[in-house]
Amino acid sequence: MKRLILLMLTLVFTASVVHAQATLVGSEGFENSTHSFTSTPGTAWTMTNSFACSGTKSIWAAVPNLTGDSVVLVTPVYDCSNYAYVSMRFNHICKVSTMDQVQVQYRLNVVGVGGQWQDIPATAYEGSATNYATTGFNVASYAVWNANDSLVLPTNAWWKEEIFDLSNQVSYDQVQFRFVIRKGNTTGTQINYGWLIDQFELYASNTEIKMPVVEFIAPFVSDTVSSTGPYVITAKVATRTSAPIVAPYLKYTATLNNAVVANDSILMTATAGDSIWTAAIPKFLQNTIVNYRIDGKDTAGNSSSAISGYVIIRYTGGGGGYGWSLLGDTLAGTSTFDNYYAPYNGYYDYSWSRMLYKSTELPAGANKITGVAFYVVDDYNGTILNQSLYVQSVPDVVFTSNNYVNPVTNGATLAWSGSFTPTVGAWNYINFTTPVNLTIGNSLLLFWENRDGSYTDE
């Protein structure tokens, strides 16, 4: 009896770690001169080498010009009739207005003839778009797609992977998919770039398919940065099955002046169990564009990815390990709209100013402010005495009052105090005696306190 029990336990244990490899039923990467998808109208969806999630090409369509018009991209029919579980995924950039409609649909191949097209339900969606369940995909799905600027062009850092578990919809059947952009009633929304799609894949299996979780952990670098690096990238790469994760690689490409200067894969290091991983992207020169991605895979073959990137816009007028970033209005003296009292105000013997720089103006990833610089255009002779600069990280995006606010009681840090002699026609640098931590996503509030005690005209 003991031998029988031991044998049964061994069989149960062995069965629990056996995973059937998912079958790739269909895929399209748009890398060849022709592809398997069809477009309606015929020229509405075109291949482009301007953007690609992987390889050199993707497929793209603009938003139609006329209200109610659609552009449609249709896949071939895929045979999943022998499989209980089906998972579909693709990568895309959906720079389409919230006023227009983007749909991902499927239909079953009923007796060899396509059935009715249906939207893929939200219950099948396993991605991280904030609004798929309510509106479908559009510019508001991800912050990086910049819903507030219709004219901004995408970058390869904008790619997002979407995953759908379609086991309840298409298992044991033949299925076809289509991607639809339909113009809404709002004039002018077609100035948005449109929809880019790449790396379409359809997997099927007779055991459950669960793609790993792959997501960057904040703060991570994206958009524009003011430091040359290096940057440590931290990500969660975790299995969703009993099959363990294969150690992931951080893959990056650095481009300067349209030439690739680095293309590398770095084996990531597990820093918290087997799900938190880190690796560092090395330093690069100013104006370098860095695109990076992490591909997570478990030993059963389930895989998913996350993509990001940044541009180094380090301000050349500064120095130091972290560089400078130019903020605020046009350079003082070059615009009739300049405010000569902000952020520094030395008007009369006692005065103050308060200036708010929004988080959208600040370099992504910056988390410590170590100094400021003012460009002086007015004539001034002499040294300014008894000056103080307070700095505060705040969630505010607008001023709630134009009245004087005491920086100390408001919670600001005294970053610098003293005297200095302005140099006209140049940047005047003030290095903080107390650096100020900036919470990622917060705005920067500067309080200038002038207690010179005599008249100045600055």
Side-chain angles (χ1 to χ4, degrees), residues 393-416:
S393 174
V394 296
D396 312 55
V397 294
V398 295
F399 284 125
T400 56
S401 172
N402 291 326
N403 298 325
Y404 174 76
V405 174
N406 187 308
V408 176
T409 58
N410 203 62
T413 298
L414 178 60
W416 171 87

Side-chain angles (χ1 to χ4, degrees), residues 435-446:
V436 177
N437 291 324
L438 176 66
T439 301
I440 300 298
N442 268 11
S443 300
L444 186 67
L445 184 58
L446 303 183

Side-chain angles (χ1 to χ4, degrees), residues 171-458:
S171 60
Y172 298 121
D173 218 319
Q174 295 180 338
V175 63
Q176 193 172 22
F177 301 95
R178 70 176 185 178
F179 303 85
V180 183
I181 309 175
R182 181 173 288 105
K183 179 72 175 69
N185 297 322
T186 304
T187 303
T189 58
Q190 64 270 28
I191 64 174
N192 284 273
Y193 187 81
W195 201 5
L196 289 152
I197 297 174
D198 200 2
Q199 283 190 302
F200 173 92
E201 293 174 329
L202 187 68
Y203 288 90
S205 176
N206 282 313
T207 59
E208 190 173 18
I209 303 171
K210 288 293 183 183
M211 304 301 179
V213 175
V214 182
E215 57 189 20
F216 298 111
I217 295 178
F220 64 92
V221 286
S222 62
D223 199 13
T224 56
V225 296
S226 57
S227 167
T228 58
Y231 286 108
V232 175
I233 307 300
T234 303
K236 180 178 182 180
V237 184
T239 183
R240 297 175 64 211
T241 69
S242 58
I245 282 289
V246 179
Y249 281 81
L250 173 66
K251 302 175 182 179
Y252 71 86
T253 300
T255 305
L256 180 62
N257 298 326
N258 296 318
V260 174
V261 295
N263 191 356
D264 201 2
S265 295
I266 305 171
L267 182 63
M268 302 187 77
T269 301
T271 58
D274 60 354
S275 60
I276 306 300
W277 303 79
T278 63
I281 298 175
K283 284 190 173 187
F284 289 103
L285 297 175
Q286 179 182 340
N287 298 324
T288 300
I289 300 171
V290 180
N291 290 307
Y292 62 93
R293 66 182 290 155
I294 296 173
D295 296 314
K297 185 177 182 179
D298 66 22
T299 55
N302 298 301
S303 63
S304 53
S305 61
I307 296 174
S308 190
Y310 57 91
V311 181
I312 300 171
I313 58 167
R314 182 175 178 179
Y315 174 52
T316 57
Y322 291 91
W324 299 89
S325 183
L326 188 62
L327 306 178
D329 198 4
T330 54
L331 191 63
T334 63
S335 168
T336 57
F337 298 101
D338 291 324
N339 184 344
Y340 292 95
Y341 303 142
Y344 160 69
N345 183 8
Y347 191 59
Y348 293 117
D349 50 356
Y350 298 104
S351 56
W352 60 272
S353 69
R354 196 165 78 251
M355 178 63 73
L356 182 71
Y357 295 100
K358 297 180 182 180
S359 60
T360 52
E361 298 180 86
L362 302 172
N367 58 12
K368 181 176 288 188
I369 309 298
T370 60
V372 297
F374 306 120
Y375 194 95
V376 179
V377 295
D378 241 354
D379 293 332
Y380 182 78
N381 297 315
T383 298
I384 304 173
L385 306 174
N386 301 324
Q387 305 295 301
S388 298
L389 177 60
Y390 294 82
V391 182
Q392 187 175 6
S393 174
V394 296
D396 312 55
V397 294
V398 295
F399 284 125
T400 56
S401 172
N402 291 326
N403 298 325
Y404 174 76
V405 174
N406 187 308
V408 176
T409 58
N410 203 62
T413 298
L414 178 60
W416 171 87
S417 64
S419 306
F420 72 100
T421 304
T423 300
V424 177
W427 288 100
N428 292 255
Y429 298 99
I430 296 176
N431 294 314
F432 291 171
T433 53
T434 304
V436 177
N437 291 324
L438 176 66
T439 301
I440 300 298
N442 268 11
S443 300
L444 186 67
L445 184 58
L446 303 183
F447 301 80
W448 190 278
E449 299 277 321
N450 166 39
R451 297 294 180 262
D452 183 81
S454 62
Y455 176 83
T456 72
D457 64 354
E458 271 300 292

